[in-house]
Amino acid sequence: MAVRLQMRLGVVAESDRLTDSPDRIAVVEPSIGSIARTKGSLYLLVTCLAQGNRIREATRLLVESIRDQYYYDESAGIRVCLVKAIAGANKRLAHDRDRYGIALDERGNGPIGVAVAVVRGNELYVATVGPAEAYLIRQARLSTLPDPHRERGLPSSEVEPDVWRGDIGVGDSLVLISPNLVARLGAEELKDAMVTLHPQSAMEHLHHRFVAADGTGSDGAIAFEATEVSATQKQRELVPVKSPEPLAGAPERSPIPLADSVSGGVAAVQASARQARSAAGGAAGRLVWRLQDLMPRRDAPYRRVTPISSRRATQRRAAVGIIALALVVGALGIGVYLNSGGGQEGELSSLTTGQRALQQAQADIGAVFGDGVDLVADDPQKAERLLVESYQQLAAAEEAGIPAATVDPLRRQAVEGLDRLYRMIDVRSATVFSFEAAETPADLGALVRGPDGAPYVLDRATQTVYRIDIKGKKATAIVRAGQSAAGTKVAEPRFLAIGGPDVLILDARNVLWRWRPADKKGKGTLTRIKVNGSSSWGADVRGIGTYLRNPDAGLYNLYVVDPSERQLLRYSPAADGSGFPAAPSGYLATAQSVDEVTSLSIDGDVFLVDAGVVERFVAGRTGDWATGDPGDALLRPPPSYLLSATSSPVREGLLYGYDPASARMLAFDKASGEFREQYRLRGDDPAWSDVRGMVVIPGREGDPSLLWWVDRDRLMTAVLEPVAAAGASPSPGASGSAGASLATASPPAGAAPSDATPSDAGSSGTAP
């Protein structure tokens, strides 16, 4: 018989997909014969490594556009129609790129990938564009269908998809899959699943493995396998016919003479015998019944009626007896079990389980660090898998009763290896200045680096702003509450900021003061700055900041976080720098709640720490930018930020965030949000348990950056480079040091670069 192909499909249900996955899938298997013969069946996957609701809408637009345009276009063959459909969808997406918030790379290419396959009869057409992959599995061999333009994701100015054409036979399989899923699981596991399982089971298995491996984001995948279907043939229809025998249907008669008469007589005799036997049986039965009637009989007993209350009492006593018997039997059984040592067997079984877990953890740690091997440096992915498994096995061993003295040394090895994988760097703290000897206990609340390179701190306890002389170990009060200046008195200082050559202080009456240093000994002049409408800010201002728009003239914009206006108010300076006379404008393109803003940084873009999350605003709009995940959720809770600081006044360098729950600092690339490294204080140093303000000073010529911070009564510093512990292996390169070695000399604690420029946020670049 003729043989045709049928595709067995495998795809993960939408309800089982990850919530943060932007991928879209479309499968069209036409039921109309003409469409199936000309266009075939379409299998389409659109992937994207970025995340967000707007990216998900963009992938949905691409899926619908490619599918509709391919089946609508009948002007050419399959190859040409696929190329035209992808090009048309790319043009439509490029037109609406700003609407979906899609960022292009330096070559003008987007982040979205497309993988499409068409099956018509025994013909197979496959095309991929951007970050999407296609694999053909034939005779248990995995083949990659190459894409010469993989780096050109959509939208792109040059879309040249190459359509691969080949034959598909019985047993062949094709997989369209996201590169994020392949990178997490590997191509070998993909091949094994497709060879041994049904396509649907294979896709579900791979997705479960991806989720178990802590995979996030893009998880789209389609698979189908060609199977054989036998074609059916219509047989000849049955029609009624007339028998050629003329006596067909007549009663049958025996050809033997008199045979019919003899058989009829025998039948009559048999019927008469049956009637006689029935009559005799009836007479005998009647005789037996008469004899039974003559026999003596016993009278029927009286029926006794038992009251329902008595019946219930009897049932209750029976139930109590059964329960008592069950309790006695159970107590005897428990006693016999305990006397026979059953509890000890359970304890021994638990200890055996814990011992096996401990041995497995030892083997995993030995595979990572044993015999001169360091998989953390040589094979980080394998090292992470083994160390995570050992960490979990140690937890199981401790739960099973293995002593902590045995488990803790192994756990420390596993944690140290994981911290190296998660780029955790140990640094050393040093105290620059302390207010512990002051008559009034200090309550520091803010820190800035002044235009003269010195730290300025705000003490809420004495309502004073101090300039700290690092070399002289001296704190000089520059502004106090109640101090007279410009015909009025200064109220309680609340916020500090740096603007060009000035230190700005906002007091409790929303009056802005400018202190301009005259020398490096703490002398300067205090002037009141007029700000249009400052009296309407109210008492709920969350912070202030500046952006230096003209370094030569010292002119800077003023920013005020005002929850009552649900805005970040922006003030432009007067031409002579005397104040901010014009009405403010709202920097945020869309008003939003800023009640929980705890930090503000400006470098041309604006970074707000709002309710523990760092948000970046470019020209007043926020997009898909987000701080990267350090990946160490097994060891510590996800970071929730309180403060942020930038390492440079321009749109480059690193952004630092303070996570108080884990007492650590995390560094991210300002442009992409990519996680770079994280820091903690060496040993059990608690100096990062109560950080209230911080400043990052970039190093010079490859030197590591310097961190200043204040807690309740101290100004402290740390060089952001690794500190070697006894027997420890080198950690990743510190921020700003490009992998500086442990032998690199560190600058003195608290020392700032001698030729450092003022640390005004945004000293150059386009004004936000």
Side-chain angles (χ1 to χ4, degrees):
M1 293 184 180
V3 176
R4 61 189 180 90
L5 297 180
Q6 180 183 10
M7 300 300 136
R8 293 197 299 184
L9 182 64
V11 62
V12 180
E14 285 293 331
S15 58
D16 296 336
R17 297 270 304 281
L18 296 179
T19 56
D20 59 351
S21 173
D23 295 357
R24 296 283 183 164
I25 295 173
V27 177
V28 182
E29 295 179 337
S31 58
I32 301 176
S34 60
I35 299 178
R37 289 189 297 271
T38 57
K39 289 294 187 177
S41 299
L42 177 70
Y43 305 91
L44 176 60
L45 169 66
V46 178
T47 70
C48 184
L49 300 181
Q51 300 178 15
N53 293 331
R54 291 194 289 177
I55 291 294
R56 191 176 292 110
E57 288 297 319
T59 56
R60 180 188 61 80
L61 171 69
L62 281 177
V63 164
E64 295 177 353
S65 178
I66 294 174
R67 179 192 61 198
D68 297 344
Q69 189 167 350
Y70 171 73
Y71 279 101
Y72 178 78
D73 188 3
E74 297 182 355
S75 61
I78 292 178
R79 189 194 304 268
V80 176
C81 289
L82 279 178
V83 173
K84 292 171 64 177
I86 295 175
N90 172 68
K91 183 177 180 181
R92 183 176 177 184
L93 180 63
H95 180 72
D96 295 336
R97 180 173 64 84
D98 294 337
R99 173 186 173 187
Y100 297 113
I102 299 175
L104 303 181
D105 59 14
E106 61 276 4
R107 299 181 180 178
N109 299 316
I112 300 178
V114 175
V116 59
V118 175
V119 177
R120 183 180 66 178
N122 291 81
E123 297 177 292
L124 175 63
Y125 298 84
V126 182
T128 59
V129 177
E133 298 182 359
Y135 296 92
L136 179 64
I137 303 170
R138 176 173 292 168
Q139 297 179 354
R141 293 183 178 180
L142 184 70
S143 301
T144 303
L145 301 182
D147 176 17
H149 307 292
R150 180 178 178 182
E151 71 281 358
R152 296 184 182 176
L154 303 184
S156 175
S157 57
E158 299 180 4
V159 177
E160 300 176 0
D162 292 338
V163 181
W164 178 88
R165 180 189 180 281
D167 295 334
I168 185 169
V170 175
D172 293 349
S173 301
L174 183 74
V175 181
L176 307 179
I177 192 168
S178 166
N180 185 38
L181 198 147
V182 176
R184 178 73 64 170
L185 301 180
E188 284 299 322
E189 185 160 357
L190 169 65
K191 184 190 74 172
D192 294 342
M194 289 301 300
V195 170
T196 58
L197 300 175
H198 185 281
Q200 181 63 33
S201 301
M203 292 298 100
E204 293 176 354
H205 169 74
L206 291 174
H207 192 266
H208 290 163
R209 289 297 307 275
F210 178 71
V211 175
D214 297 331
T216 58
S218 176
D219 64 347
I222 312 175
F224 58 84
E225 179 183 3
T227 59
E228 180 179 353
V229 178
S230 298
T232 59
Q233 288 184 344
K234 187 175 182 181
Q235 303 295 331
R236 185 177 59 185
E237 296 182 358
L238 299 178
V239 296
V241 298
K242 184 176 181 181
S243 174
E245 177 62 38
L247 297 179
E252 295 184 355
R253 295 183 179 276
S254 174
I256 303 174
L258 301 179
D260 293 334
S261 300
V262 173
S263 62
V266 172
V269 171
Q270 290 177 345
S272 299
R274 284 194 298 271
Q275 292 177 359
R277 185 170 62 250
S278 176
R286 286 192 295 271
L287 179 61
V288 173
W289 293 340
R290 283 183 176 274
L291 291 175
Q292 289 179 348
D293 290 340
L294 294 175
M295 295 178 68
R297 299 180 180 180
R298 178 183 294 179
D299 295 337
Y302 291 104
R303 183 179 179 185
R304 295 181 179 180
V305 179
T306 303
I308 190 170
S309 58
S310 299
R311 192 161 58 246
R312 288 181 176 175
T314 302
Q315 294 173 350
R316 189 180 303 110
R317 287 193 295 271
V320 172
I322 293 173
I323 294 174
L325 179 62
L327 291 176
V328 172
V329 173
L332 290 175
I334 293 174
V336 172
Y337 175 76
L338 294 177
N339 290 332
S340 63
Q344 297 177 359
E345 292 179 1
E347 183 177 354
L348 290 175
S349 175
S350 177
L351 289 175
T352 302
T353 302
Q355 189 66 31
R356 285 198 299 266
L358 181 65
Q359 293 173 353
Q360 181 62 44
Q362 289 174 332
D364 291 340
I365 294 176
V368 177
F369 299 114
D371 297 331
V373 177
D374 186 5
L375 288 184
V376 173
D378 300 337
D379 192 349
Q381 292 184 350
K382 183 177 181 181
E384 182 178 11
R385 177 174 58 81
L386 292 174
L387 291 175
V388 168
E389 181 179 354
S390 66
Y391 188 90
Q392 296 170 344
Q393 293 291 343
L394 289 173
E398 188 174 26
E399 185 177 355
I402 301 299
T406 304
V407 174
D408 288 346
L410 294 173
R411 181 183 284 117
R412 281 195 294 270
Q413 282 186 275
V415 170
E416 288 174 1
L418 289 172
D419 278 337
R420 288 177 57 195
L421 289 170
Y422 300 141
R423 289 171 275 181
M424 176 65 77
I425 299 174
D426 290 330
V427 298
R428 181 185 292 114
S429 67
T431 301
V432 177
F433 187 84
S434 176
F435 289 86
E436 293 178 350
E439 296 180 358
T440 302
D443 182 17
L444 304 182
L447 167 68
V448 294
R449 181 168 178 251
D452 54 355
Y456 290 75
V457 298
L458 168 61
D459 182 10
R460 297 193 184 101
T462 59
Q463 301 180 3
T464 305
V465 178
Y466 291 98
R467 178 189 182 274
I468 298 178
D469 182 359
I470 295 177
K471 293 182 179 179
K473 300 293 183 180
K474 179 181 178 182
T476 303
I478 62 170
V479 178
R480 295 180 182 271
Q483 177 180 344
S484 298
T488 184
K489 291 186 177 181
V490 179
E492 176 189 353
R494 294 180 59 198
F495 300 104
L496 297 182
I498 298 299
D502 305 326
V503 178
L504 300 180
I505 303 103
L506 182 67
D507 66 16
R509 293 201 300 262
N510 292 333
V511 176
L512 186 65
W513 300 90
R514 177 182 67 197
W515 190 86
R516 182 168 294 178
D519 55 22
K520 294 188 177 181
K521 296 182 180 181
K523 295 183 179 180
T525 57
L526 181 65
T527 307
R528 178 177 179 177
I529 301 178
K530 294 183 179 180
V531 182
N532 188 348
S534 62
S535 59
S536 63
W537 293 343
D540 57 350
V541 173
R542 301 293 297 175
I544 62 174
T546 64
Y547 179 81
L548 189 62
R549 57 188 295 174
N550 189 338
D552 296 332
L555 299 179
Y556 47 87
N557 291 343
L558 174 67
Y559 295 82
V560 180
V561 182
D562 188 357
S564 60
E565 294 289 338
R566 298 171 59 85
Q567 266 292 350
L568 177 62
L569 302 180
R570 175 173 55 185
Y571 289 86
S572 298
D576 57 357
S578 60
F580 302 91
S585 61
Y587 175 76
L588 304 181
T590 302
Q592 65 180 52
S593 174
V594 291
D595 295 340
E596 299 184 64
V597 170
T598 56
S599 182
L600 168 66
S601 301
I602 307 172
D603 66 350
D605 299 331
V606 173
F607 296 90
L608 291 178
V609 179
D610 190 357
V613 179
V614 181
E615 294 183 274
R616 184 184 74 168
F617 293 86
V618 179
R621 294 179 174 84
T622 183
D624 295 330
W625 187 95
T627 54
D629 183 9
D632 56 354
L634 182 67
L635 305 180
R636 48 188 67 90
S640 177
Y641 303 100
L642 179 67
L643 301 172
S644 69
T646 61
S647 63
S648 65
V650 294
R651 292 185 178 97
E652 60 184 18
L654 300 180
L655 175 74
Y656 294 82
Y658 167 57
D659 176 20
S662 300
R664 57 176 169 169
M665 299 286 178
L666 296 93
F668 306 93
D669 183 79
K670 288 198 292 186
S672 63
E674 178 184 357
F675 169 73
R676 290 296 180 83
E677 54 202 16
Q678 53 183 328
Y679 309 91
R680 66 183 174 193
L681 295 180
R682 181 182 178 184
D684 298 327
D685 190 344
W688 277 356
S689 61
D690 183 26
V691 177
R692 304 185 178 190
M694 65 185 208
V695 172
V696 177
I697 304 173
R700 296 175 299 166
E701 299 179 357
D703 291 339
S705 298
L706 187 68
L707 175 68
W708 285 348
W709 75 92
V710 291
D711 57 12
R712 185 178 64 86
D713 54 10
R714 293 178 300 175
L715 169 65
M716 305 190 71
T717 184
V719 180
L720 299 182
E721 68 174 356
V723 177
S729 57
S731 300
S735 172
S737 62
S741 66
L742 297 176
T744 303
S746 303
S754 59
D755 58 347
T757 57
S759 58
D760 302 308
S763 60
S764 63
T766 304

